[in-house]
Amino acid sequence: MISGLKPATVELRGLVKRFGKDVYAVDDVDLHIARGELLTLLGPSGCGKTTALRLIAGLERPTAGQILLDDEDVARLPAYLRDVTMVFQSYALFPHMNVFENVAYGLRVARRPKDEIGTRVEEALAMVGLEGLAHRTPSQLSGGQQQRVALARALVIRPRVLLFDEPLSNLDAKLRKRVREDIRELQQRLGITSVYVTHDQEEALAISDRVVVMREGVVEQIGSPHELYTRPASRFVADFIGSANFLPGRYDGQQIDLLGYRWTHEQDVAAGPVTVMVRPEAVEFARDDEPALEATLMSSAYLGAATEYVFDVAGTELFATMSGGGMSAAEKGDRVRLRLKPTAVSLLPPD
Amino acid sequence: MDASSTPNALRPRRPAAGLAVSGAWLPAALAIVGWWALPIGRPNRPFLTLEPDLYAASIGHPLLWLTLFAAVAALALSFLPVPTARRADMVLAVGVVALASVVAWFMISTTPFGMGALLVLAGLVMLLGNALSESGRVQGDAFIASSILFVSLFVLLFILYPLFTVLRSSIYIDGRFDFSVFLRTMQHPLFFMLGNDRSAVDEVALTLRWSLAGLIGFATFALWRRVRWTAVLARAVLGGALGFVLGALIYGNGALPTSLLLVSIVAPTATLLGLAFALLGQRGRLGAVRRSLDVISILPIITPPFVLAFAMIFLLGRRGLVTYNLLDMQSSWIFGIPGVALAQILAFTPIAYLLLRGSLSSLNPALEEAAQTLGAGPWVTLRTITWPLVRPGLAAAFLLSMIESLADFGNPIILGGNRKYMATEVYLSLTGRFNPNEAAVYGAVLLLMVLGAFFLQRWWLGGGSFVTVTGKPTSGALASIPRGLEVGLTVVLFVWTVFVAALYLSIVVGSFAQLWGVNYTFTLRHYQDFFAGAGWEVFLFTARVAAISAVPAMLLGFLVAYLVARQRFFGRRFVEFGSLLSFATPGTVMGVAYIFAFNTGPVLLTASATIIVIALVFRNMPVAIRAAVAGLAQIDPSLEEASTMLRARSLTTMRRVLFPLLINTLVTGLIFAFVTAMTAVSQVIFLVSPGNQFATVLLLGWVDQGQLGRAAAMGTILIVSLLLVIVVVLQLARMLGARMVGVRT
Ligand SMILES: Nc1ncnc2c1ncn2[C@@H]1O[C@H](COP(=O)(O)OP(=O)(O)OP(=O)(O)O)[C@@H](O)[C@H]1O
Ligand SMILES: [Mg+2]
């Protein structure tokens, strides 16, 4: 266990990073990260996640704005004075040092006494479960082990904030799931403030306290995984996190009207025309006696655990995923009646 | 607890993050110490003489009081308990005042720098570096910021400023603009082409005959091809013009046409030969060919550029082994353009070869295989696939040979005969005709020509910074070259190898022969002369100076490479440009430039070993830069960032991460800086002084005086010792590198 951690809060105020004349990699970002929180920056490639992370790290200098660690502006402070550290996508383990030396690096740089270095490195290696491997070189480790060395190396210097830049993208799919759980477990156990960059929405939802969805340098939405999924603030977010159908409808403050199919819905949206966001798993076949949405079955694909359908709803395609067989009797071209689970539906401003 | 909720009085003095004390305090203190040492001047060279007059002058001057005041203020501000960035802004402000005032004082007083001045300047630059970094104005720490300042300063002072003085001296004479020297030089038969009254023939008439021949030839060809009469006319004019230019190049005795003619012979030949050898080495079927190419590629590195010219006198001169002893002719054809061209082709082909080998080896064999599966034979493949792909490499090799040929000093001075050459005229007008302004004119014209070629090359190749055309050898079977071509090329290579071997051998033999061409009996006389006379001492002095210059050249080269490749800062292009300039500038031009720049004023350096060292450092820095850039390209930048994230400063990162990983590259860079320093001649020849004699310059002098035996002894010793150094040290570096990186083989 790493002792003596003093996690900090992080606040970004009007942060801007411009490359060259007109590339705004980060464009006026405001963000507050609580002590001990794991916040994920999520977004498509090139949206500025890495740049934002590197700004917090001090590896890039902001064009404008403030970066506050525990209310103190560090935006102009060089990286090595910031008490912030980072786990790199490539792990960046020093190839000419063995595992012990890699982990000890930060302590040696800080000129800690030898026996302190010894015990702290042991501690850190034990924490990530690599006790026996201290004398291997990085090239003799598997990807997952390298990743854990990188983590131990970052934690051993007791940073106030820990940054991750797509730490799992070099691992194969199965390992990725396990390592992300390990990271989350360790992060919660240590209570260390963390910022985590990924473009994998599933990963983001699985490990974060809160997720920031970014788009072209701007924050689209901030919220808990649940909020983002159930109440996306924009089409972009709805599309990026999970998949979604968008149908035109009306809202009167209490009920949604979707082509005559009406149900009660509570959301802070102005009455009038709206875009109804429907998750694929919200769609079910309706019983004959209940109100329903009229649709035509266009195609279906049986995937074992679930079946995927494409319906035509008044000229708009509607994708649906139903667990099990759904109503296997329906055939292509049949008229069907559909019901929407209210929990997986949300309203967006009209197009 | 929230820091903002703490009452002001209870706030800790030290900000929670940042530095308690600005790192600027130490350089500020250094500058203050230097200020007290300012009176230690050195009008008469030794660094540590105290000059009472200077003392009075310096302490009394208001500008210097301002310097002291500002430096003390910076020192005091460094301890102010305010946030790091705000404090750094204040330090920055007073630091700029201090530096500006002391530089202004140096300009006004024109007192040569002494120890104190160096301390003050170094201190203030580091102070600014600290302040720039801590204020967040420069990404990177104090070391990076200071390095950027120092490197920019060096580029300005030791590369751009000297070149500027050359341009200035060509048109700015006795304190005013004066084009008379420029015009006179241009009109002088030494410079240009035609109408030389001193020569027996009428060059104008001869040239016009060439022009007429061109006109008739082109017109006839056009008529034969049955094109329209306007086209015939156009081609006739073109032919006439081409004929005129060619005639002017051949008959113009002046330096400019001679150098141009030389270039037009040497550059294509060296490039084609380089290509031929590269093709052979890459795709030839004979192992022996490849081994001989390996040797050929290392020879020019260890050989002073003019040694082959000197060996040619042994073989082909008036008393040459081949020409006189074997063929029994008494010809001096090698003294003139043919000899110089031959010597330059011998010297520059290996360079073209190295460049083209790189660009050939980066070809993807799959492309050629694809062509062959589509039914293209070897010739077709060569023409349609290989040739277009190596064309950029060829352009690079061509322009580089052009630059080398224009800038070459040693070969023309030995074999030049009675023709004039641009690079040697720079030297001769300064040391022979004692006309610095004329030297400046030659220098300026040569500089502009070379820079033109150089930037043409960069533009052509898309301006990749420092990137030489090299590539990883790709696996896969390369298409073999056509059998007939291979045989032909192998014969060329064989003749070449025999000739070069004979040249080298003749130097060794010549050093043991009584009197070349007359008496070939064995003797150790030349070596005895060498060791008893000045030779050995000069050799040792040269080795020492070269070694001293190699370390800063390598470190500086590494630093520049690191800054340019890994940092983003204002002025990066400037640093890059300046370093490239020092690489492209002909040595003779840089030589006069140093004379002009450092003969008087605050930076008085001439007639010292220091100026030779400095000249060699900046001349060889580009070699180290390229080695370091290539090395850095192999290292993932996130390794350095990881080190930064573990709170290492950049100097620590260099020491603990980059140096161990790059040890091989660094040692190689060091060795090449040393070897190029030992074989340098064109720039150094301006800078030697009694007591500071350089081996290559001495050797050249001996050749000039006809003491060929002694010169051969020096040449042999130089070549053998450099070969030893390269082989031994590179082997060591390989072992060391393997150990540091923990490669188990
Ligand atoms: N050093 C740089 N110079 C110029 N532009 C840059 C630089 N670094 C990033 N950019 C640009 O800034 C934008 C954001 O880049 P960034 O690396 O932050 O994206 P990202 O969200 O991390 O993407 P990815 O998921 O692909 O890693 C991109 O348009 C990128 O091209
Ligand atoms: Mg990224």
Side-chain angles (χ1 to χ4, degrees):
Chain A
M1 195 68 198
I2 300 266
S3 45
L5 274 171
K6 287 190 219 69
T9 62
V10 180
E11 191 167 346
L12 310 184
R13 284 192 197 153
L15 198 62
V16 178
K17 176 66 189 180
R18 192 184 58 209
F19 287 110
K21 282 209 168 52
D22 46 9
V23 180
Y24 283 86
V26 171
D27 195 358
D28 197 13
V29 166
D30 293 293
L31 207 58
H32 179 88
I33 306 165
R35 211 180 300 283
E37 183 181 28
L38 193 155
L39 181 103
T40 299
L41 303 181
L42 178 66
S45 182
C47 71
K49 310 176 296 277
T50 300
T51 307
L53 201 71
R54 291 168 60 86
L55 284 167
I56 301 174
L59 295 173
E60 302 279 357
R61 206 159 36 113
T63 309
Q66 293 179 309
I67 300 166
L68 289 85
L69 295 191
D70 280 341
D71 297 318
E72 195 198 344
D73 187 7
V74 296
R76 292 168 76 189
L77 222 52
Y80 65 93
L81 293 177
R82 282 196 193 180
D83 288 353
V84 167
T85 197
M86 182 147 148
V87 176
F88 291 81
Q89 182 172 1
S90 60
Y91 316 139
L93 298 181
F94 305 125
H96 57 301
M97 300 180 191
N98 65 23
V99 168
F100 182 92
E101 290 164 332
N102 261 288
V103 178
Y105 184 86
L107 300 173
R108 287 198 173 145
V109 165
R111 303 237 166 81
R112 307 306 309 170
K114 212 170 171 146
D115 33 339
E116 182 192 329
I117 294 180
T119 49
R120 278 172 70 175
V121 171
E122 300 276 294
E123 229 174 57
L125 285 177
M127 186 181 62
V128 297
L130 289 178
E131 293 94 333
L133 304 183
H135 295 289
R136 297 248 190 114
T137 57
S139 57
Q140 296 167 316
L141 298 178
S142 71
Q145 288 169 331
Q146 291 183 14
Q147 162 82 68
R148 282 184 278 162
V149 176
L151 196 57
R153 186 178 68 175
L155 285 170
V156 80
I157 61 166
R158 298 172 185 162
R160 290 158 73 202
V161 179
L162 188 54
L163 310 173
F164 297 90
D165 188 5
E166 309 208 12
L168 306 183
S169 57
N170 283 347
L171 301 177
D172 62 53
K174 228 180 217 156
L175 201 55
R176 211 176 289 173
K177 212 159 175 179
R178 219 188 66 214
V179 175
R180 87 181 179 212
E181 278 154 20
D182 289 350
I183 289 182
R184 176 56 164 166
E185 192 270 329
L186 196 62
Q187 184 267 336
Q188 282 185 322
R189 186 148 50 92
L190 299 176
I192 182 163
T193 312
S194 307
V195 185
Y196 190 104
V197 162
T198 180
H199 62 247
D200 179 344
Q201 44 109 359
E202 185 193 313
E203 193 176 310
L205 298 185
I207 66 167
S208 319
D209 291 309
R210 283 190 305 153
V211 178
V212 178
V213 181
M214 289 182 69
R215 178 193 193 180
E216 293 174 4
V218 178
V219 172
E220 277 286 306
Q221 189 176 2
I222 307 177
S224 68
H226 186 256
E227 277 166 12
L228 288 180
Y229 193 76
T230 56
R231 286 285 177 269
S234 63
R235 248 181 123 130
F236 175 80
V237 175
D239 237 353
F240 196 77
I241 296 183
S243 43
N245 297 287
F246 303 98
L247 300 168
R250 289 194 70 81
Y251 185 54
D252 62 7
Q254 278 159 10
Q255 282 205 315
I256 303 174
D257 181 340
L258 189 62
L259 303 164
Y261 172 49
R262 298 168 67 91
W263 72 98
T264 314
H265 181 90
E266 211 171 302
Q267 190 174 350
D268 190 11
V269 174
V274 289
T275 298
V276 185
M277 191 266 325
V278 180
R279 295 285 181 200
E281 68 272 20
V283 185
E284 287 173 340
F285 289 110
R287 290 192 310 269
D288 288 343
D289 57 342
E290 54 185 359
L293 188 63
E294 299 285 338
T296 312
L297 177 62
M298 305 297 291
S299 67
S300 65
Y302 175 68
L303 300 177
T307 307
E308 282 182 0
Y309 294 94
V310 183
F311 301 106
D312 181 295
V313 180
T316 315
E317 279 189 341
L318 177 69
F319 294 90
T321 311
M322 296 186 212
S323 57
M327 190 181 68
S328 44
E331 297 211 350
K332 205 173 150 188
D334 285 0
R335 295 291 294 169
V336 293
R337 302 179 72 247
L338 301 174
R339 184 166 67 115
L340 302 178
K341 272 187 271 184
T343 48
V345 170
S346 182
L347 298 182
L348 296 171
D351 295 328
Chain B
M1 176 171 40
D2 238 348
S4 55
S5 66
T6 319
N8 240 346
L10 291 182
R11 270 207 191 164
R13 255 177 61 101
R14 181 192 184 281
L19 292 165
V21 174
S22 167
W25 77 270
L26 196 62
L30 187 70
I32 293 168
V33 172
W35 192 88
W36 289 110
L38 268 182
I40 303 178
R42 38 170 220 117
N44 304 318
R45 296 309 140 82
F47 257 118
L48 297 174
T49 26
L50 189 70
E51 292 282 315
D53 298 346
L54 261 182
Y55 193 76
S58 54
I59 302 301
H61 203 284
L63 271 174
L64 280 182
W65 282 119
L66 185 59
T67 309
L68 182 66
F69 177 75
V72 170
L75 182 62
L77 285 173
S78 299
F79 292 94
L80 216 58
V82 294
T84 309
R86 189 133 46 91
R87 182 177 54 207
D89 283 340
M90 297 190 262
V91 173
L92 190 61
V94 292
V96 169
V97 170
L99 189 64
S101 60
V102 78
V103 168
W105 182 74
F106 280 123
M107 302 284 235
I108 293 169
S109 73
T110 68
T111 314
F113 283 174
M115 208 48 170
L118 287 184
L119 283 184
V120 174
L121 288 176
L124 290 179
V125 169
M126 286 193 281
L127 184 147
L128 291 184
N130 268 281
L132 279 173
S133 156
E134 285 172 19
S135 66
R137 280 165 209 283
V138 167
Q139 167 96 38
D141 58 19
F143 174 76
I144 296 293
S146 304
S147 300
I148 291 171
L149 291 179
F150 273 118
V151 166
S152 313
L153 207 67
F154 286 156
V155 166
L156 205 62
L157 186 60
F158 292 115
I159 297 171
L160 294 183
Y161 170 65
L163 290 181
F164 166 74
T165 61
V166 173
L167 298 181
R168 188 186 57 187
S169 304
S170 65
I171 49 169
Y172 190 77
I173 295 150
D174 292 333
R176 61 198 175 79
F177 283 101
D178 182 349
F179 290 92
S180 64
V181 176
F182 191 78
L183 292 177
R184 217 178 317 130
T185 310
M186 287 288 197
Q187 285 156 3
H188 199 276
L190 285 184
F191 186 85
F192 243 122
M193 30 182 83
L194 302 170
N196 183 2
D197 341 313
R198 284 188 238 169
S199 64
V201 290
D202 182 358
E203 296 90 1
V204 179
L206 284 169
T207 303
L208 283 178
R209 243 173 266 169
W210 275 80
S211 178
L212 193 66
L215 192 148
I216 292 172
F218 270 59
T220 322
F221 186 67
L223 283 173
W224 177 60
R225 294 285 300 271
R226 296 167 190 280
V227 292
R228 273 181 303 127
W229 69 270
T230 42
V232 174
L233 202 67
R235 283 180 205 190
V237 171
L238 182 70
L242 282 178
F244 185 82
V245 170
L246 202 62
L249 288 179
I250 293 172
Y251 296 110
N253 268 310
L256 188 67
T258 306
S259 283
L260 288 178
L261 181 61
L262 197 60
V263 163
S264 59
I265 297 171
V266 170
T269 316
T271 309
L272 281 181
L273 280 173
L275 178 66
F277 293 170
L279 276 174
L280 265 185
Q282 204 88 65
R283 292 143 195 245
R285 300 171 180 87
L286 285 174
V289 165
R290 238 167 268 139
R291 276 190 295 281
S292 86
L293 281 170
D294 281 346
V295 176
I296 284 181
S297 62
I298 202 162
L299 284 180
I301 297 165
I302 55 164
T303 319
F306 55 86
V307 161
L308 287 184
F310 154 51
M312 276 169 55
I313 300 182
F314 276 163
L315 286 192
L316 305 175
R318 237 158 305 200
R319 295 247 159 198
L321 188 68
V322 176
T323 38
Y324 180 72
N325 299 53
L326 293 183
L327 302 179
D328 200 24
M329 37 188 221
Q330 264 203 318
S331 112
S332 52
W333 64 272
I334 63 162
F335 294 98
I337 290 187
V340 180
L342 186 57
Q344 289 193 344
I345 290 169
L346 288 176
F348 306 147
T349 298
I351 299 173
Y353 160 71
L354 280 177
L355 211 74
L356 286 164
R357 188 180 65 173
S359 89
L360 275 187
S361 67
S362 59
L363 287 181
N364 188 353
L367 290 176
E368 299 188 343
E369 281 167 11
Q372 303 206 320
T373 58
L374 296 172
W379 278 109
V380 178
T381 308
L382 203 62
R383 191 165 49 79
T384 57
I385 306 290
T386 318
W387 166 249
L389 287 172
V390 295
R391 220 163 25 194
L394 279 178
F398 183 83
L399 286 163
L400 194 65
S401 314
M402 229 171 113
I403 292 170
E404 296 274 358
S405 167
L406 277 175
D408 181 29
F409 172 79
N411 292 313
I413 209 131
I414 292 182
L415 294 177
N418 40 28
R419 298 293 291 243
K420 308 294 168 199
Y421 306 81
M422 290 301 288
T424 50
E425 279 317 295
V426 177
Y427 174 70
L428 294 175
S429 48
L430 187 73
T431 57
R433 302 194 282 278
F434 303 107
N435 188 342
N437 295 112
E438 195 191 321
V441 173
Y442 278 107
V445 173
L446 184 57
L447 182 64
L448 295 180
M449 276 162 49
V450 166
L451 291 188
F454 187 71
F455 285 105
L456 197 65
Q457 177 199 333
R458 303 246 311 146
W459 170 73
W460 211 325
L461 297 180
S465 50
F466 288 122
V467 184
T468 48
V469 192
T470 55
K472 290 189 217 77
T474 31
S475 58
L478 289 158
S480 302
I481 42 179
R483 177 78 61 185
L485 184 62
E486 183 176 358
V487 171
L489 294 183
T490 310
V491 170
V492 173
L493 178 67
F494 180 73
V495 172
W496 172 285
T497 311
V498 168
F499 186 45
V500 169
L503 287 175
Y504 276 95
L505 206 63
S506 71
I507 296 173
V508 179
V509 173
S511 71
F512 290 108
Q514 274 291 357
L515 184 56
W516 190 273
V518 179
N519 178 358
Y520 286 108
T521 47
F522 178 84
T523 175
L524 286 176
R525 187 168 64 97
H526 304 307
Y527 285 93
Q528 281 158 359
D529 282 356
F530 178 83
F531 283 104
W536 180 237
E537 251 169 58
V538 169
F539 179 80
L540 286 183
F541 174 81
T542 308
R544 205 166 60 232
V545 166
I548 290 173
S549 76
V551 177
M554 191 273 287
L555 288 179
L556 206 58
F558 175 78
L559 201 58
V560 170
Y562 175 80
L563 292 179
V564 170
R566 291 288 210 258
Q567 303 283 329
R568 263 173 290 134
F569 56 94
F570 178 76
R572 199 182 69 145
R573 293 242 137 228
F574 165 79
V575 168
E576 200 184 344
F577 169 81
S579 323
L580 281 173
L581 208 56
S582 101
F583 171 68
T585 305
T588 40
V589 177
M590 210 41 136
V592 266
Y594 268 47
I595 297 281
F596 288 156
F598 305 126
N599 216 9
T600 54
V603 197
L604 171 60
L605 292 168
T606 43
S608 64
T610 317
I611 194 171
I612 301 182
V613 171
I614 291 176
L616 290 174
V617 166
F618 287 94
R619 189 115 195 105
N620 298 328
M621 185 178 73
V623 181
I625 293 179
R626 277 190 296 169
V629 164
L632 280 172
Q634 314 250 316
I635 295 183
D636 181 0
S638 66
L639 285 184
E640 292 144 60
E641 289 177 349
S643 173
T644 308
M645 286 285 90
L646 296 167
R647 298 179 202 162
R649 303 193 181 199
S650 53
L651 197 55
T652 314
T653 303
M654 281 188 190
R655 192 164 52 82
R656 286 180 179 263
V657 178
L658 285 181
F659 280 5
L661 290 175
L662 285 177
I663 186 79
N664 222 329
T665 311
L666 292 176
V667 174
T668 313
L670 188 71
I671 291 311
F672 282 106
F674 171 75
V675 171
T676 24
M678 282 216 73
T679 56
V681 66
S682 53
Q683 182 175 3
V684 171
I685 199 165
F686 289 88
L687 306 175
V688 293
S689 49
N692 297 315
Q693 194 46 269
F694 218 68
T696 46
V697 177
L698 192 63
L699 173 50
L700 208 54
W702 284 342
V703 175
D704 200 34
Q705 297 159 19
Q707 302 192 28
L708 297 186
R710 207 189 288 180
M714 171 83 98
T716 309
I717 290 177
L718 263 178
I719 292 171
V720 171
S721 49
L722 292 183
L723 193 60
L724 272 178
V725 166
I726 287 197
V727 171
V728 171
V729 178
L730 288 191
Q731 195 56 41
L732 279 180
R734 208 161 295 145
M735 280 153 53
L736 196 65
R739 216 181 51 227
M740 299 290 280
V741 184
V743 182
R744 267 155 280 262
T745 40

